[in-house]
Amino acid sequence: MDYHLETRKPVLGQAGTLAVGTEGGVRGSAWFLLQISPNSRLSQEVVLDVGCPYVRFHTEVHWHEDHKFLKVEFPARVRSPQATYEVQFGHLQRPTHQNTSWDWARFEVWAHRWMDLSEHGFGLALLNDCKYGASVRGSVLSLSLLRAPKAPDATADMGRHEFTYALMPHKGSFQDAGVIQAAYSLNFPLLVLPTPGQVPMATWSAFSVSSPAVVLETVKQAESTPQGRTLVLRLYEAHGSHVDCWLRTSLPVQEAVLCDLLERRDPAGHLPFRDARLKLTFSPFQVQSLLVVLQAPLN
């Protein structure tokens, strides 16, 4: 077992101010201050929004420790031999027990935006916006927040930190409950910007996909034509399934063709584009890249 887990103990610092941050309406929140040690303190706002499937923990830490490791744990009433962790363009599963020496050695797992512990019909997901060390032991979900090593960098993680994690209980599997979409929402919240004049009431989207199993991860200009009319779209299958989906767009498309990660055209990858949409077929965790050439503007 790793040394930091053998010597773990709960933070028993003196709780400071506890106050209601936002009351009523579409958002409710509570705020508190916790003195971790004489040198370090933590403040946290717990936020619940109307219509939001998760509870957010917006956290600020002033961290000045030596050889310490700060984690947060959530005991859950969920029993499963496997937990699921997001990796780039997919997810993987790791055991929640230590039956073998291999299980014992894997005391922590990388997790990009979410981890999930589910049994039949119910589960609990832990989302985050910048913390990537996670683990589940039994029914306890744990997320590593800050470290204080002194080699090779004696100042690693020292100072002020601001981050957010969230708890999302859900029915069914994490795929059916929309955990992946919720994690994207936490990491990329909608921005509200002022616009001059009146704003049309009609909704508009440059691109959309018909299946929740397919994620449109990237929309960028092609490297070969940085000022041109060619876009690169990168999509992947996130549920671990075979799926057909429609990619729709509101942009005037002249041509769509599959390409590799270096944005080189696939000679046999031309995609028929009709009625502002094209059909894509994915195998589990497959990544597909497309070159989309827009029509030239009318003079």
Side-chain angles (χ1 to χ4, degrees):
M1 176 63 68
D2 193 65
Y3 175 77
H4 78 272
L5 296 179
E6 290 183 338
T7 57
R8 64 186 298 278
K9 60 181 180 180
V11 175
L12 299 176
Q14 183 66 37
T17 304
L18 176 63
V20 175
T22 306
E23 186 175 6
V26 297
R27 170 174 293 179
S29 69
W31 178 89
F32 70 90
L33 177 67
L34 179 65
Q35 194 71 35
I36 299 173
S37 73
N39 299 320
S40 302
R41 68 181 186 274
L42 176 150
S43 63
Q44 190 168 78
E45 185 180 19
V46 184
V47 182
L48 180 60
D49 293 326
V50 170
C52 183
Y54 50 78
V55 179
R56 288 186 291 124
F57 299 83
H58 182 68
T59 310
E60 180 181 348
V61 181
H62 292 264
W63 183 248
H64 302 281
E65 298 295 323
D66 295 330
H67 305 291
K68 297 292 177 62
F69 202 166
L70 183 65
K71 289 174 172 280
V72 63
E73 293 183 345
F74 293 96
R77 194 176 177 181
V78 181
R79 184 177 178 87
S80 175
Q82 300 281 340
T84 308
Y85 305 84
E86 187 196 37
V87 296
Q88 187 176 26
F89 301 140
H91 59 264
L92 53 79
Q93 291 186 322
R94 289 289 183 265
T96 60
H97 53 75
Q98 297 175 355
N99 289 352
T100 69
S101 59
W102 289 21
D103 301 333
W104 175 81
R106 293 184 289 189
F107 54 84
E108 191 167 72
V109 185
W110 59 90
H112 282 199
R113 284 174 288 253
W114 58 269
M115 58 186 292
D116 182 82
L117 180 66
S118 293
E119 60 185 43
H120 177 68
F122 176 78
L124 182 66
L126 179 55
L127 321 177
N128 81 90
D129 68 348
C130 63
K131 300 298 177 183
Y132 308 118
S135 63
V136 178
R137 285 292 172 263
S139 297
V140 179
L141 290 81
S142 175
L143 187 66
S144 298
L145 302 179
L146 293 170
R147 300 168 63 238
K150 296 306 168 186
D153 182 4
T155 63
D157 278 2
M158 295 296 103
R160 178 183 176 274
H161 298 265
E162 189 172 349
F163 49 85
T164 299
Y165 51 88
L167 270 183
M168 179 180 170
H170 61 83
K171 293 182 178 180
S173 66
F174 72 86
Q175 294 98 327
D176 295 337
V179 168
I180 299 171
Q181 287 76 12
Y184 270 96
S185 176
L186 178 69
N187 280 265
F188 305 103
L190 290 176
L191 299 178
V192 180
L193 301 175
T195 58
Q198 293 185 345
V199 179
M201 297 301 294
T203 60
W204 181 87
S205 177
F207 296 98
S208 63
V209 290
S210 62
S211 172
V214 177
V215 176
L216 176 56
E217 171 71 22
T218 303
V219 179
K220 61 182 286 290
Q221 285 192 317
E223 297 296 326
S224 59
T225 56
Q227 304 300 324
R229 297 179 288 108
T230 303
L231 301 178
V232 174
L233 276 61
R234 187 158 295 122
L235 307 94
Y236 73 97
E237 197 287 321
H239 286 182
S241 61
H242 287 84
V243 63
D244 295 331
C245 80
W246 291 97
L247 173 66
R248 302 177 185 272
T249 181
S250 300
L251 302 178
V253 173
Q254 174 181 315
E255 180 189 18
V257 61
L258 293 173
C259 66
D260 62 15
L261 294 179
L262 297 179
E263 302 179 10
R264 297 175 298 195
R265 287 172 172 255
D266 182 349
H270 184 269
L271 299 171
F273 185 81
R274 300 185 185 91
D275 300 326
R277 65 179 187 173
L278 56 87
K279 187 177 182 180
L280 298 171
T281 299
F282 289 84
S283 56
F285 306 125
Q286 182 181 4
V287 181
Q288 293 195 37
S289 297
L290 283 67
L291 289 174
V292 176
V293 181
L294 303 181
Q295 296 177 5
L298 298 176
N299 294 328

mmCIF file of all heavy atoms in Angstrom, residues 227-242:
data_model
loop_
_atom_site.group_PDB
_atom_site.id
_atom_site.type_symbol
_atom_site.label_atom_id
_atom_site.label_comp_id
_atom_site.label_asym_id
_atom_site.label_seq_id
_atom_site.Cartn_x
_atom_site.Cartn_y
_atom_site.Cartn_z
ATOM 1 N N GLN A 227 -6.452 30.395 -42.863
ATOM 2 C CA GLN A 227 -7.351 31.503 -43.158
ATOM 3 C C GLN A 227 -8.391 31.118 -44.208
ATOM 4 O O GLN A 227 -9.074 31.979 -44.750
ATOM 5 C CB GLN A 227 -6.539 32.712 -43.657
ATOM 6 C CG GLN A 227 -5.457 33.175 -42.699
ATOM 7 C CD GLN A 227 -6.012 33.593 -41.358
ATOM 8 O OE1 GLN A 227 -7.098 34.154 -41.275
ATOM 9 N NE2 GLN A 227 -5.266 33.314 -40.297
ATOM 10 N N GLY A 228 -8.487 29.829 -44.490
ATOM 11 C CA GLY A 228 -9.357 29.387 -45.564
ATOM 12 C C GLY A 228 -10.726 28.955 -45.095
ATOM 13 O O GLY A 228 -11.177 29.281 -43.994
ATOM 14 N N ARG A 229 -11.388 28.144 -45.938
ATOM 15 C CA ARG A 229 -12.765 27.732 -45.689
ATOM 16 C C ARG A 229 -12.863 26.279 -45.235
ATOM 17 O O ARG A 229 -13.951 25.704 -45.254
ATOM 18 C CB ARG A 229 -13.579 27.922 -46.976
ATOM 19 C CG ARG A 229 -13.675 29.369 -47.438
ATOM 20 C CD ARG A 229 -14.473 29.502 -48.731
ATOM 21 N NE ARG A 229 -13.724 28.995 -49.887
ATOM 22 C CZ ARG A 229 -14.007 27.870 -50.526
ATOM 23 N NH1 ARG A 229 -15.021 27.123 -50.129
ATOM 24 N NH2 ARG A 229 -13.292 27.482 -51.563
ATOM 25 N N THR A 230 -11.749 25.673 -44.807
ATOM 26 C CA THR A 230 -11.748 24.263 -44.420
ATOM 27 C C THR A 230 -11.679 24.122 -42.904
ATOM 28 O O THR A 230 -10.793 24.686 -42.259
ATOM 29 C CB THR A 230 -10.560 23.524 -45.058
ATOM 30 O OG1 THR A 230 -10.617 23.676 -46.473
ATOM 31 C CG2 THR A 230 -10.609 22.047 -44.711
ATOM 32 N N LEU A 231 -12.628 23.369 -42.346
ATOM 33 C CA LEU A 231 -12.665 23.082 -40.919
ATOM 34 C C LEU A 231 -12.307 21.621 -40.678
ATOM 35 O O LEU A 231 -12.526 20.767 -41.533
ATOM 36 C CB LEU A 231 -14.061 23.353 -40.348
ATOM 37 C CG LEU A 231 -14.614 24.773 -40.486
ATOM 38 C CD1 LEU A 231 -16.024 24.832 -39.914
ATOM 39 C CD2 LEU A 231 -13.711 25.776 -39.795
ATOM 40 N N VAL A 232 -11.763 21.353 -39.494
ATOM 41 C CA VAL A 232 -11.505 19.983 -39.054
ATOM 42 C C VAL A 232 -12.436 19.683 -37.889
ATOM 43 O O VAL A 232 -12.489 20.439 -36.915
ATOM 44 C CB VAL A 232 -10.039 19.789 -38.624
ATOM 45 C CG1 VAL A 232 -9.834 18.392 -38.037
ATOM 46 C CG2 VAL A 232 -9.110 20.005 -39.805
ATOM 47 N N LEU A 233 -13.181 18.587 -38.002
ATOM 48 C CA LEU A 233 -14.050 18.113 -36.930
ATOM 49 C C LEU A 233 -13.510 16.782 -36.433
ATOM 50 O O LEU A 233 -13.144 15.918 -37.238
ATOM 51 C CB LEU A 233 -15.486 17.916 -37.424
ATOM 52 C CG LEU A 233 -16.410 19.140 -37.459
ATOM 53 C CD1 LEU A 233 -15.873 20.223 -38.376
ATOM 54 C CD2 LEU A 233 -17.815 18.726 -37.874
ATOM 55 N N ARG A 234 -13.435 16.639 -35.112
ATOM 56 C CA ARG A 234 -12.990 15.365 -34.533
ATOM 57 C C ARG A 234 -14.079 14.854 -33.598
ATOM 58 O O ARG A 234 -14.488 15.545 -32.664
ATOM 59 C CB ARG A 234 -11.662 15.534 -33.805
ATOM 60 C CG ARG A 234 -11.054 14.224 -33.319
ATOM 61 C CD ARG A 234 -9.556 14.365 -33.095
ATOM 62 N NE ARG A 234 -8.866 14.613 -34.346
ATOM 63 C CZ ARG A 234 -8.103 15.681 -34.584
ATOM 64 N NH1 ARG A 234 -7.937 16.598 -33.658
ATOM 65 N NH2 ARG A 234 -7.507 15.840 -35.753
ATOM 66 N N LEU A 235 -14.545 13.640 -33.850
ATOM 67 C CA LEU A 235 -15.611 13.022 -33.070
ATOM 68 C C LEU A 235 -15.143 11.672 -32.554
ATOM 69 O O LEU A 235 -14.279 11.029 -33.162
ATOM 70 C CB LEU A 235 -16.880 12.829 -33.914
ATOM 71 C CG LEU A 235 -17.450 14.030 -34.664
ATOM 72 C CD1 LEU A 235 -16.917 14.070 -36.090
ATOM 73 C CD2 LEU A 235 -18.977 13.979 -34.686
ATOM 74 N N TYR A 236 -15.736 11.230 -31.439
ATOM 75 C CA TYR A 236 -15.412 9.897 -30.940
ATOM 76 C C TYR A 236 -16.640 9.260 -30.301
ATOM 77 O O TYR A 236 -17.561 9.954 -29.854
ATOM 78 C CB TYR A 236 -14.244 9.932 -29.957
ATOM 79 C CG TYR A 236 -14.554 10.519 -28.595
ATOM 80 C CD1 TYR A 236 -14.868 9.701 -27.508
ATOM 81 C CD2 TYR A 236 -14.506 11.890 -28.376
ATOM 82 C CE1 TYR A 236 -15.133 10.231 -26.259
ATOM 83 C CE2 TYR A 236 -14.768 12.429 -27.133
ATOM 84 C CZ TYR A 236 -15.081 11.598 -26.078
ATOM 85 O OH TYR A 236 -15.351 12.128 -24.839
ATOM 86 N N GLU A 237 -16.637 7.934 -30.269
ATOM 87 C CA GLU A 237 -17.707 7.176 -29.627
ATOM 88 C C GLU A 237 -17.334 7.004 -28.160
ATOM 89 O O GLU A 237 -16.270 6.483 -27.841
ATOM 90 C CB GLU A 237 -17.872 5.821 -30.315
ATOM 91 C CG GLU A 237 -19.192 5.122 -30.015
ATOM 92 C CD GLU A 237 -19.246 4.561 -28.608
ATOM 93 O OE1 GLU A 237 -18.218 4.040 -28.135
ATOM 94 O OE2 GLU A 237 -20.314 4.661 -27.974
ATOM 95 N N ALA A 238 -18.209 7.432 -27.238
ATOM 96 C CA ALA A 238 -17.855 7.527 -25.822
ATOM 97 C C ALA A 238 -18.475 6.456 -24.945
ATOM 98 O O ALA A 238 -18.062 6.295 -23.795
ATOM 99 C CB ALA A 238 -18.259 8.904 -25.287
ATOM 100 N N HIS A 239 -19.470 5.710 -25.435
ATOM 101 C CA HIS A 239 -20.180 4.751 -24.590
ATOM 102 C C HIS A 239 -19.597 3.346 -24.645
ATOM 103 O O HIS A 239 -19.934 2.506 -23.815
ATOM 104 C CB HIS A 239 -21.655 4.685 -24.992
ATOM 105 C CG HIS A 239 -22.439 5.873 -24.565
ATOM 106 N ND1 HIS A 239 -23.796 5.995 -24.785
ATOM 107 C CD2 HIS A 239 -22.065 7.010 -23.923
ATOM 108 C CE1 HIS A 239 -24.214 7.154 -24.303
ATOM 109 N NE2 HIS A 239 -23.181 7.787 -23.781
ATOM 110 N N GLY A 240 -18.748 3.067 -25.637
ATOM 111 C CA GLY A 240 -18.257 1.708 -25.819
ATOM 112 C C GLY A 240 -19.234 0.854 -26.598
ATOM 113 O O GLY A 240 -19.468 -0.305 -26.244
ATOM 114 N N SER A 241 -19.802 1.398 -27.681
ATOM 115 C CA SER A 241 -20.840 0.699 -28.440
ATOM 116 C C SER A 241 -20.671 0.970 -29.930
ATOM 117 O O SER A 241 -19.995 1.915 -30.339
ATOM 118 C CB SER A 241 -22.231 1.168 -27.993
ATOM 119 O OG SER A 241 -22.382 2.561 -28.233
ATOM 120 N N HIS A 242 -21.305 0.115 -30.742
ATOM 121 C CA HIS A 242 -21.436 0.400 -32.163
ATOM 122 C C HIS A 242 -22.643 1.317 -32.353
ATOM 123 O O HIS A 242 -23.717 1.066 -31.792
ATOM 124 C CB HIS A 242 -21.637 -0.888 -32.963
ATOM 125 C CG HIS A 242 -20.403 -1.726 -33.076
ATOM 126 N ND1 HIS A 242 -20.011 -2.620 -32.097
ATOM 127 C CD2 HIS A 242 -19.453 -1.789 -34.050
ATOM 128 C CE1 HIS A 242 -18.889 -3.208 -32.464
ATOM 129 N NE2 HIS A 242 -18.525 -2.730 -33.638
#
